Amino acid sequence: MSFKKYKQYPIVQNIVREWADKQITQAPIYCSVDLRDGNQALINPLTIEQKIEYFNWLVKMGFKNIEVSYPSASDTDFNFTRKLIEENLIPNDVFIQVLIPAKKEWIKKSVEAMKGVKKGIFHLYNPTNEFQKRVVFQKSDEEIISMAVEGMKYLIELTKDFEGEVIYEYTPESFSQTDLEFAVKICNEVINVVKPTQKNKMIINLPNTLEACMPNIYADRIEWMCKNLINRENLIVSVHPHNDRGTAVASAEMAVLAGANRVEGTLFGNGERAGNLDLITFAFNIYSQGIEPKLNLAFIDEVKEFFEKTTQIKTHIRHPYVGEMIFTAFSGGHQDAIKKGMDFYRAQNSKEWNVPYLPIDPKDIKRGYENIIRVNSQSGKGGVSFIISEFFEVTMPKSEEIEFGKVIKIASDDKKQELSKEEIIELYKVYIENN
């Protein structure tokens, strides 16, 4: 392996950093890109029928911005967009969004797909990093800026007679690999074309299209942009973090601290390469801090079941908040702390959740306490005591906890696997009879 072929990502120079002293106090605007960015990463892309069902789940969860398609890319995407609009399948408070490359024929096709939309976001983009400018497109800085500016002018011209509410979004597509001075220059040129107002804001989207830097550097880049974009008070600054370094959630959180008002991502982080920002983890992180998440997370296990069935992607058992074993402890020390924490929480009739090793109350997502503590040879008396008290409704004295804990440890060692709560209860009945 030759690490010397890689260059360290540059830090943002001469920034007066403010984001590090802030806290998230409210949820940002969420935009689901499952039906576009997530869909294009599936081995078998969704059918129109599957897309409609998926769209309905997103609406049920509370998403108000949903990127539904890339209409110029395929007939399926175009026809799906038309079906949503023509059959009036979009709630009145939901904006649907389409992704549009900055080429006239594709802009025209995308606008045709959105005819009659009540609330539409037209998301224009073009690549902006040095490699793409010089090698892929073989264009100068001025030509790349002209591509964005002329594309936005053409988009505005084609949509000027739309009766519905229209929002324009612009993305320097390869922002994460784009020099900041050029990024702000091209964004400001596009802002000058749109001329957003307080009543009619526009979205500037700054993606980690390829996540190549630490989350703190991404936050610095977002803060720098927020301070240098013109007409900032009339902009919605959006971020679109990918997960190539495994830190998309942290990048999104820090970007919000740095001034971002909106985050684009997918359910459970589906997407190209290592995936997109996982909006479920992001929202639960906010929820666990006592902040209204602005998404309905109570039926997340049903959402997960639908997601897995539809995408054929299995959610990892250790996935934050929603994995099958995320609330499970085998370790004796952890089990003892959880049992004592649960006992205290109940005895105090506490309104504030503070149980060790459980970031949220499993009942918040309609899970019981059956799997909080599971017993194998690594477990201790605390876990065994919890199972007997929780599911057999017997509180063992301390001496009995110690002795019966030894019985369970021997049984688990002999079996060389986990003991179910039913097996533990049966062993306890035998223990009582013999003592």
Side-chain angles (χ1 to χ4, degrees):
M1 296 180 70
S2 178
F3 62 88
K4 291 186 178 179
K5 71 172 76 168
Y6 303 105
K7 189 169 67 174
Q8 193 159 32
Y9 196 96
I11 64 172
V12 180
Q13 301 287 344
N14 303 317
I15 183 172
V16 180
R17 186 178 297 105
E18 296 179 45
W19 66 261
D21 294 322
K22 295 180 180 178
Q23 285 186 306
I24 294 177
T25 57
Q26 63 179 13
I29 300 165
Y30 300 102
C31 177
S32 159
V33 295
D34 290 81
L35 296 172
R36 197 278 305 168
D37 204 344
N39 182 57
Q40 74 186 38
L42 297 177
I43 295 171
N44 298 308
L46 304 178
T47 64
I48 288 178
E49 292 72 24
Q50 287 174 318
K51 280 194 163 199
I52 289 170
E53 189 177 8
Y54 206 125
F55 179 82
N56 289 335
W57 276 98
L58 294 171
V59 168
K60 186 178 177 183
M61 290 183 71
F63 284 97
K64 304 302 181 188
N65 286 193
I66 301 174
E67 188 166 88
V68 295
S69 67
Y70 194 139
S72 62
S74 72
D75 288 341
T76 299
D77 272 22
F78 184 91
N79 294 334
F80 169 60
T81 310
R82 292 309 310 147
K83 188 176 181 72
L84 286 175
I85 296 167
E86 290 172 1
E87 297 185 15
N88 200 27
L89 301 177
I90 309 162
N92 291 332
D93 61 345
V94 171
F95 281 86
I96 64 166
Q97 175 173 309
V98 291
L99 185 65
I100 312 170
K103 291 188 71 172
K104 283 195 171 183
E105 63 269 32
W106 293 342
I107 294 170
K108 185 177 181 182
K109 179 84 169 176
S110 302
V111 171
E112 287 172 3
M114 291 282 273
K115 284 274 173 65
V117 72
K118 293 178 182 176
K119 290 181 184 291
I121 299 173
F122 292 82
H123 183 184
L124 187 79
Y125 78 93
N126 67 317
T128 53
N129 74 23
E130 190 66 23
F131 184 87
Q132 287 170 309
K133 284 187 293 183
R134 305 289 180 247
V135 179
V136 178
F137 288 93
Q138 298 179 350
K139 291 182 181 293
S140 67
D141 286 4
E142 290 70 27
E143 287 173 314
I144 292 292
I145 291 172
S146 177
M147 185 188 296
V149 167
E150 294 307 314
M152 186 57 78
K153 285 180 178 177
Y154 187 60
L155 175 59
I156 291 171
E157 175 65 24
L158 293 182
T159 56
K160 66 181 181 181
D161 295 326
F162 269 45
E163 294 181 1
E165 189 175 346
V166 170
I167 295 176
Y168 300 107
E169 176 174 356
Y170 173 68
T171 292
E173 187 264 340
S174 46
F175 171 74
S176 49
Q177 278 71 44
T178 299
D179 175 75
L180 282 175
E181 294 289 348
F182 183 74
V184 81
K185 183 176 181 180
I186 195 168
C187 287
N188 283 340
E189 291 282 355
V190 176
I191 292 166
N192 272 328
V193 171
V194 177
K195 296 180 174 58
T197 64
Q198 196 60 219
K199 185 178 178 182
N200 297 299
K201 294 186 176 185
M202 78 168 291
I203 300 167
I204 293 292
N205 188 49
L206 304 171
N208 248 1
T209 303
L210 176 74
E211 186 184 41
C213 65
M214 293 174 64
N216 61 300
I217 296 177
Y218 186 54
D220 283 351
R221 288 173 65 85
I222 299 302
E223 183 166 327
W224 189 92
M225 289 292 290
C226 285
K227 289 176 176 177
N228 288 278
L229 288 166
I230 62 171
N231 211 351
R232 173 65 183 94
E233 68 278 8
N234 296 324
L235 302 176
I236 296 168
V237 173
S238 178
V239 292
H240 180 110
H242 275 260
N243 198 43
D244 300 277
R245 302 180 81 253
T247 56
V249 172
S251 292
E253 290 179 326
M254 291 183 184
V256 170
L257 293 177
N261 317 105
R262 181 180 185 266
V263 294
E264 295 188 348
T266 60
L267 302 183
F268 312 110
N270 177 40
E272 300 276 23
R273 303 178 311 280
N276 284 275
L277 163 66
D278 177 2
L279 291 176
I280 300 302
T281 299
F282 184 97
F284 267 117
N285 281 355
I286 287 177
Y287 178 79
S288 71
Q289 300 300 301
I291 299 166
E292 165 59 54
K294 293 185 183 175
L295 288 179
N296 184 355
L297 304 171
F299 58 98
I300 196 63
D301 280 345
E302 295 173 50
V303 174
K304 181 161 70 81
E305 182 182 356
F306 164 77
F307 172 85
E308 292 180 346
K309 177 191 73 176
T310 304
T311 64
Q312 299 299 298
I313 296 173
K314 181 70 175 172
T315 309
H316 197 280
I317 60 171
R318 302 292 183 192
H319 195 102
Y321 302 102
V322 299
E324 290 175 17
M325 294 182 67
I326 198 62
F327 300 118
T328 299
F330 286 106
S331 159
H334 288 199
Q335 291 177 343
D336 186 57
I338 289 171
K339 180 186 184 301
K340 289 173 180 173
M342 291 291 293
D343 289 346
F344 182 83
Y345 178 76
R346 287 166 169 168
Q348 299 294 315
N349 195 24
S350 178
K351 302 298 182 188
E352 185 176 298
W353 182 256
N354 187 20
V355 176
Y357 304 111
L358 298 178
I360 64 170
D361 186 345
K363 289 195 172 179
D364 288 354
I365 59 170
K366 296 182 172 58
R367 292 193 192 180
Y369 296 140
E370 291 84 357
N371 293 318
I372 287 179
I373 289 176
R374 290 165 59 175
V375 174
N376 61 18
S377 59
Q378 304 297 306
S379 307
K381 65 183 189 309
V384 175
S385 176
F386 174 84
I387 287 172
I388 295 301
S389 63
E390 188 76 13
F391 304 109
F392 196 55
E393 298 181 351
V394 170
T395 302
M396 292 189 288
K398 183 67 68 177
S399 59
E400 192 171 274
E401 278 186 22
I402 295 169
E403 290 304 314
F404 183 59
K406 292 176 183 177
V407 171
I408 293 301
K409 189 168 284 291
I410 291 169
S412 181
D413 274 333
D414 288 344
K415 193 178 180 184
K416 293 182 171 54
Q417 66 183 53
E418 175 188 3
L419 297 177
S420 69
K421 70 175 186 293
E422 290 80 13
E423 288 174 311
I424 293 168
I425 290 169
E426 287 304 312
L427 284 169
Y428 181 68
K429 290 177 182 177
V430 173
Y431 173 82
I432 292 299
E433 287 177 7
N434 295 334
N435 291 277

